[in-house]
Amino acid sequence: MSRLVIVGGGMAGLAAAYHARRAAPGLEIGLLEAAGRLGGKVSTVAEEGFVLEGGPDAVVRYKPWALALMKELGLEGQVVGTLPARPSALIHDGERALPIPAGLQMVVPGDLRALALTPLLSPFGKARAVLDLLLPKGPPGDEPFGAFIRRRLGRQVWERLAAPLSGGIYGGDPYSLSTLAAFPQLKALEQEHGSLVRGALRQRGQRGSREAGQLFASLEGGLGQWVRALEQGLGGVTLRLGAAASALERRGEGWRVHTPEGWLEADAVILATPAGVSARLLEPLHPSAAEALRQIPYGDSATVSLAFPLESLPPRTGHGMLMAAGRGFAVRGFTWTDQKWKGRAPEGYGLVRAYFSGVRADEAELVRLALADLQRLWGRVPPPGRTWVFRWQEGLPHYTLGHQQRVAAAMEAESLPGLFLAGAAYFGVGLPEVVRMGQEKAARAVEFLG
């Protein structure tokens, strides 16, 4: 009987294990996870009527792979959208909070009327953005994302709109992101339509709007339900929690995966681990791929959720607020969780979530920073009744310029027979992309095993 070992029990590893089990019921599959639970950064806490997410809180609907997997697991009836809100969110520029224009396609204005009316941009900034319709098409090669947006839409769109939005997705310094790696769809809009705005106007009808609650989706009890359903669908898969892979060894035409408790023999291996872990395992086997993996930078991220009596909170608009960079805020953004999702807080309570990127601090300091920024926004902050802190050290890969070349070099490791790489370090940090990659590598592993 052929044996497949998957290292890493985050969403890429879980999707790979589930797909391999469905595709090859007779395959012997083992899954190793260094932590004491599955799911990686998908971590849902439900207690005392509160439902909160420690990591990602949604998937986007227009990337179908996550929702398709939920449907396959029988969760379709539990899929929920965000509560309708107009405006859906605000951006704080350091002095005031202003609504995000409706009709955005990622970070590009897709509604000319909303662009004309937005107070986020000055009349000059709006005129400069519309100039994108007349500018010649740029070269197809890569460039820093900040330079790309400034070239097409101008400095104001970058500083006041695109930078806060993209920084909320990828963390780190959004200017230095690789456009082709982080936002290939936008580069494609320019190449196909000659203009980002023109492309966004045509694309707008193909996607739901965030204002109507059609853009993002979750599950009634949070994304942790997804992890539990995947685990239940892994009948026959040997799960080993708290088992970190300490070494990877080539043995004849197969593999041996070492752990502190012993080793597992395998005919094929999927490394669904962060780039640094994969680099350490591959160093003796493929040094150049290991070096490329080590060059993929990672940053810290964290979330702090705060529960307040609703009567003590000031009015809050939409689903939350993003903070412009360089304006003295420690928090990248706040989510008004009870206003974004139905049933996430008991009656009479508001639930606020702060998102941090690039801030390394202990739990008490993160809570203090979140409350300090709320006080700056509101003038007075009531004491929270409950707090929850989730820290993800080196948890978020940064797709900086040159990322595609580093990934191509890392993927040379797959020239080793029966070895496959998956995870957020390569072709997308979002849950849909991670799920798709896990499934694709499982399909390749099953095909390799015959």
Side-chain angles (χ1 to χ4, degrees):
M1 181 183 292
S2 296
R3 293 158 296 183
L4 169 65
V5 171
I6 299 165
V7 183
M11 294 308 293
L14 285 174
Y18 179 79
H19 186 83
R21 165 55 64 232
R22 300 272 292 188
L27 184 63
E28 185 177 329
I29 303 172
L31 189 150
L32 302 179
E33 169 52 46
R37 64 171 189 86
L38 298 172
K41 285 184 285 296
V42 175
S43 179
T44 304
V45 170
E47 56 187 30
E48 299 179 16
F50 294 99
V51 177
L52 53 124
E53 304 283 16
D57 72 340
V59 299
V60 291
R61 292 180 183 269
Y62 63 86
K63 296 178 179 180
W65 312 288
L67 287 174
L69 180 55
M70 292 178 187
K71 180 179 180 180
E72 190 174 336
L73 291 163
L75 298 173
E76 186 176 21
Q78 299 177 49
V79 173
V80 295
T82 54
L83 295 169
R86 186 176 294 273
S88 64
L90 309 174
I91 292 177
H92 202 293
D93 65 2
E95 297 180 1
R96 55 182 180 158
L98 299 170
I100 295 175
L104 282 185
Q105 301 301 303
M106 286 180 284
V107 299
V108 179
D111 183 328
L112 292 180
R113 182 175 183 276
L115 175 64
L117 295 176
T118 180
L120 266 172
L121 305 176
S122 70
F124 173 81
K126 297 170 186 178
R128 175 60 185 85
V130 174
L131 183 63
D132 167 81
L133 291 164
L134 304 176
L135 291 175
K137 181 167 59 177
D142 204 4
E143 58 190 305
F145 186 55
F148 171 68
I149 294 297
R150 290 184 66 156
R151 174 172 64 80
R152 294 302 321 180
L153 300 170
R155 178 182 59 83
Q156 280 193 24
V157 169
W158 168 249
E159 293 180 351
R160 302 183 187 183
L161 190 60
L165 287 166
S166 56
I169 299 170
Y170 283 95
D173 175 14
Y175 191 96
S176 64
L177 288 170
S178 157
T179 304
L180 284 177
F183 294 98
Q185 309 95 321
L186 296 186
K187 199 73 174 182
L189 283 185
E190 181 189 30
Q191 296 304 308
E192 293 171 14
H193 303 284
S195 157
L196 293 184
V197 173
R198 186 180 300 114
L201 290 170
R202 294 176 181 174
Q203 188 183 68
R204 183 183 169 202
Q206 303 169 12
R207 301 179 180 177
S209 72
R210 67 173 69 207
E211 293 80 24
Q214 301 164 329
L215 184 59
F216 301 107
S218 182
L219 294 168
E220 287 180 357
L223 293 176
Q225 285 186 279
W226 192 18
V227 176
R228 291 190 292 273
L230 277 167
E231 185 174 3
Q232 291 167 6
L234 296 181
V237 175
T238 302
L239 299 176
R240 295 181 60 178
L241 301 180
S246 55
L248 185 61
E249 181 184 2
R250 186 77 173 139
R251 300 279 294 182
E253 295 189 0
W255 297 90
R256 180 172 286 178
V257 183
H258 292 265
T259 76
E261 294 78 30
W263 68 76
L264 287 80
E265 302 286 352
D267 300 297
V269 174
I270 298 175
L271 294 182
T273 45
V277 176
S278 298
R280 174 175 55 78
L281 295 173
L282 290 173
E283 178 61 41
L285 300 163
H286 204 300
S288 62
E291 177 59 25
L293 286 163
R294 280 194 294 269
Q295 292 176 13
I296 297 175
Y298 275 68
D300 295 349
S301 62
T303 65
V304 175
S305 288
L306 308 162
F308 299 97
L310 200 55
E311 62 186 14
S312 66
L313 293 180
R316 295 164 294 153
T317 300
H319 298 151
M321 183 183 301
L322 294 167
M323 277 58 194
R327 299 297 190 268
F329 291 102
V331 172
R332 285 292 180 100
F334 288 103
T335 301
W336 318 137
T337 305
D338 58 300
Q339 295 186 174
K340 184 176 182 180
W341 305 102
K342 183 180 179 181
R344 298 300 173 95
E347 187 174 354
Y349 280 89
L351 189 58
V352 173
R353 188 173 91 147
Y355 168 67
F356 293 89
S357 173
V359 176
R360 178 163 289 190
D362 62 24
E363 293 188 4
E365 178 65 6
L366 289 169
V367 172
R368 187 194 69 79
L369 291 171
L371 291 172
D373 280 355
L374 284 175
Q375 183 168 355
R376 180 176 170 186
L377 295 177
W378 295 343
R380 183 188 66 83
V381 181
R386 290 291 307 274
T387 62
W388 298 264
V389 181
F390 298 82
R391 294 189 297 163
W392 311 103
Q393 291 189 358
E394 298 294 312
L396 190 63
H398 293 162
Y399 289 12
T400 55
L401 205 63
H403 181 77
Q404 289 183 313
Q405 290 74 26
R406 290 188 285 274
V407 169
M411 287 297 165
E412 289 297 321
E414 293 190 341
S415 63
L416 298 168
L419 180 72
F420 305 93
L421 305 179
Y426 305 104
F427 300 114
V429 300
L431 291 174
E433 294 95 334
V434 169
V435 163
R436 176 177 64 167
M437 193 175 191
Q439 293 173 330
E440 288 177 350
K441 295 309 173 79
R444 286 181 54 191
V446 168
E447 181 182 9
F448 169 81
L449 293 170

